Amino acid sequence: MKTDVIQNIAIIGAGQMGYGIGLEFARFGYPVNLYNRTQASSQKAMELAQEDLNLMVKTELITAEEAEAAYKRLHPY
């Protein structure tokens, strides 16, 4: 359930758990900023998010269009 009160989500430390939390918010329509200490960590978070979304599409939990939209709502920093 999306609320109009929350407009942006910030995940500080998008490691193994953080990226997944951010991904769930992105799936439900929220723009998500993923903050990490290094660019490499941010890139890894995005790769993991893409892998998870691909698995969700493969197992028919979401459509390819929903996966693409969620991925576009993730913004690594």
Side-chain angles (χ1 to χ4, degrees):
M1 179 168 93
K2 189 171 179 187
T3 176
D4 292 333
V5 176
I6 299 172
Q7 296 179 1
N8 294 293
I9 304 295
I11 304 294
I12 312 300
Q16 194 63 36
M17 281 183 58
Y19 90 89
I21 294 166
L23 180 57
E24 286 303 298
F25 278 107
R27 283 186 53 223
F28 287 94
Y30 294 97
V32 178
N33 295 329
L34 301 172
Y35 293 95
N36 286 298
R37 289 174 46 176
T38 66
Q39 181 65 30
S41 296
S42 293
Q43 182 60 38
K44 182 65 175 174
M46 295 301 289
E47 290 169 8
L48 291 170
Q50 186 67 68
E51 289 174 16
D52 284 359
L53 288 167
N54 289 342
L55 180 60
M56 290 178 206
V57 170
K58 183 178 178 181
T59 58
E60 299 180 355
L61 294 173
I62 61 175
T63 66
E65 292 79 17
E66 290 170 324
E68 182 179 349
Y71 189 80
K72 288 180 178 180
R73 287 191 280 275
L74 294 171
H75 307 283
Y77 291 95

